[in-house]
Amino acid sequence: MLTRRTALMGAAVAAMMMTMPALADELKLPREHVDLVAPPFVHPHEQATKAGPKILEFKLTVQEKEVVIDSAGTKFWAMTYNGSMPGPMMVVHEGDYMELTLVNPETNSMPHNIDLHSATGGLGGGALTKVNPGEQAVLRWKATRAGVFIYHCAPEGMIPWHVVSGMHGTVMVLPREGLKDENGKPLHYDKIYYIGENDLYVPKDENGKYKTYETLAESYADTTEVMRKLIPTHVVFEGRVGALTGKNALTAKVGETVMFVHSEANRDTRPHLIGGHGDYVWEAGKFNNPPQKDLETWFVRGGSAGAALYTFREPGVYAYVNHNLIEAVELGATAHVKVEGKWNDDLMKQVSPPGPIPPEKVGAAQPVAVTR
């Protein structure tokens, strides 16, 4: 039934669509095409710029595919941007325009779109980017707020399923003058890593074994049933257990400052670097707010991203974890950072190695517990 409100909304959308090409033509700005890379890596970018605003062109292609998420060979039907869980990080500067092409190949089975928490208007772009298989859409939006923000798929009626199946990522909008501390002093990073946390919900059969499905659509009902219990079977970084450990561990050197960007599109999480700290932390991810300092663990709200800077001071293997240790150790939310360099005894020294407990001295007084 066509109501007056529906008609007015339709007219408003039509009017907006008619004006969009004219507005786009008015942007006489330089353009730059950006080639995206899969997490934990981030495409090359300037941390600060004196150049004026420009239009940065990005492309995300939706891939629906079966993936293996642990060493036991557990299979999972994923929905992804550019094939990775999470999708790539995209970096712009405040005042720039992002022109994003979203492609949904005809080989896919589902409609998809993108809701950018960094964007203003149209459900974060979700209202203007719904693409069925065989379609693509182009969205342009202006970066008006500095920080790290998530993006995710948000098709009507299927949002949770698409998000927990891998369809999320992060946009970083840097201040044009770069990052600063609470006193306005410039901050710089030598490396940046993007860690996207995934809570996954894999159905089991009557014998307790993980189920597999021939198609993505066949997995929907069972996966939704598991999701609604709110108990993930896996909590992982970059889409699978061990994605950032062993030969895939992150690397750094003593003296290097590393930025860790951490996102969770669905649940709260608590990043912690075992053996290190958050020298400067934007816990809520917004760079126009002064960073907190010297945090041991920081809190990233579900549906957001946070950022932390740490300068490594000792060599060794550091564990970067979700400090819900059950999820880190039992469910998979652990990464490793291998740091090279010279050991500093002043910061930490083994005074004596493990060995037998020496015998007690004859006649030595025994400690006495005093109670009242």
Side-chain angles (χ1 to χ4, degrees):
M1 178 178 179
L2 181 65
T3 65
R4 180 174 181 274
R5 182 173 182 271
T6 302
L8 289 173
M9 289 179 64
V13 171
M16 180 182 69
M17 297 302 289
M18 289 176 65
T19 60
M20 284 180 66
L23 291 173
D25 290 342
E26 293 172 4
L27 292 177
K28 305 298 184 182
L29 297 175
R31 288 176 167 269
E32 179 181 329
H33 174 78
V34 179
D35 291 318
L36 294 171
V37 298
F41 305 107
V42 181
H43 65 83
H45 59 273
E46 292 182 297
Q47 295 183 40
T49 180
K50 294 183 180 180
K54 55 188 172 183
I55 301 170
L56 291 130
E57 301 171 351
F58 296 88
K59 181 179 180 180
L60 291 176
T61 300
V62 177
Q63 293 184 31
E64 302 170 0
K65 62 180 185 177
E66 191 176 46
V67 298
V68 175
I69 60 173
D70 59 27
S71 60
T74 303
K75 293 182 179 180
F76 176 77
W77 270 100
M79 292 180 271
T80 72
Y81 295 107
N82 282 19
S84 65
M85 298 169 58
M89 177 183 280
M90 298 179 282
V91 183
V92 300
H93 283 92
E94 197 171 4
D96 286 340
Y97 291 82
M98 175 186 286
E99 189 168 283
L100 175 62
T101 300
L102 181 64
V103 181
N104 189 2
E106 63 180 6
T107 51
N108 287 337
S109 60
M110 297 287 167
H112 298 283
N113 66 354
I114 188 165
D115 171 2
L116 298 131
H117 288 200
S118 47
T120 300
L123 300 178
L128 303 175
T129 57
K130 184 178 178 181
V131 283
N132 292 307
E135 297 179 339
Q136 71 174 43
V138 182
L139 176 74
R140 180 184 291 143
W141 61 275
K142 186 176 183 179
T144 60
R145 299 175 186 271
V148 284
F149 305 79
I150 70 160
Y151 63 82
H152 61 87
C153 195
E156 185 177 356
M158 298 184 288
I159 298 174
W161 182 39
H162 284 230
V163 171
V164 301
S165 295
M167 293 202 78
H168 56 89
T170 297
V171 170
M172 181 163 71
V173 181
L174 287 166
R176 300 199 77 79
E177 67 277 12
L179 301 175
K180 294 183 179 180
D181 68 9
E182 73 281 8
N183 298 314
K185 180 182 176 182
L187 295 171
H188 176 85
Y189 48 89
D190 300 300
K191 287 186 173 181
I192 179 170
Y193 291 121
Y194 169 38
I195 298 174
E197 187 169 331
N198 308 87
D199 49 308
L200 306 178
Y201 303 82
V202 186
K204 294 182 179 180
D205 62 20
E206 61 276 8
N207 298 316
K209 294 184 178 181
Y210 289 118
K211 299 176 70 173
T212 58
Y213 301 87
E214 290 296 322
T215 67
L216 172 64
E218 288 178 19
S219 72
Y220 173 69
D222 289 346
T223 303
T224 301
E225 183 178 352
V226 177
M227 284 164 36
R228 288 174 176 167
K229 296 177 182 178
L230 304 180
I231 302 175
T233 57
H234 300 72
V235 180
V236 298
F237 298 152
E238 319 300 45
R240 61 184 176 86
V241 178
L244 298 177
T245 61
K247 66 178 183 180
N248 300 317
L250 309 176
T251 61
K253 295 179 180 179
V254 170
E256 283 189 328
T257 297
V258 177
M259 171 175 269
F260 295 97
V261 176
H262 193 117
S263 70
E264 225 298 2
N266 197 55
R267 301 166 76 243
D268 298 341
T269 186
R270 307 150 190 83
H272 173 79
L273 181 64
I274 299 177
H277 302 87
D279 290 339
Y280 296 93
V281 180
W282 294 268
E283 196 172 52
K286 306 307 166 273
F287 297 140
N288 287 328
N289 300 322
Q292 296 173 272
K293 296 175 66 175
D294 304 328
L295 298 192
E296 56 181 317
T297 301
W298 41 104
F299 179 73
V300 176
R301 302 161 178 82
S304 70
L309 293 178
Y310 180 64
T311 301
F312 285 93
R313 295 162 172 81
E314 293 277 34
V317 177
Y318 292 69
Y320 180 101
V321 300
N322 170 344
H323 212 289
N324 178 327
L325 294 178
I326 301 166
E327 295 180 352
V329 177
E330 299 292 333
L331 301 187
T334 296
H336 289 159
V337 186
K338 294 181 180 179
V339 181
E340 298 179 351
K342 184 178 180 181
W343 186 267
N344 183 349
D345 281 345
D346 186 52
L347 290 175
M348 182 178 286
K349 181 180 180 180
Q350 185 182 56
V351 178
S352 61
I357 299 172
E360 296 178 1
K361 295 182 179 179
V362 178
Q366 296 294 321
V368 178
V370 178
T371 59
R372 293 185 180 180

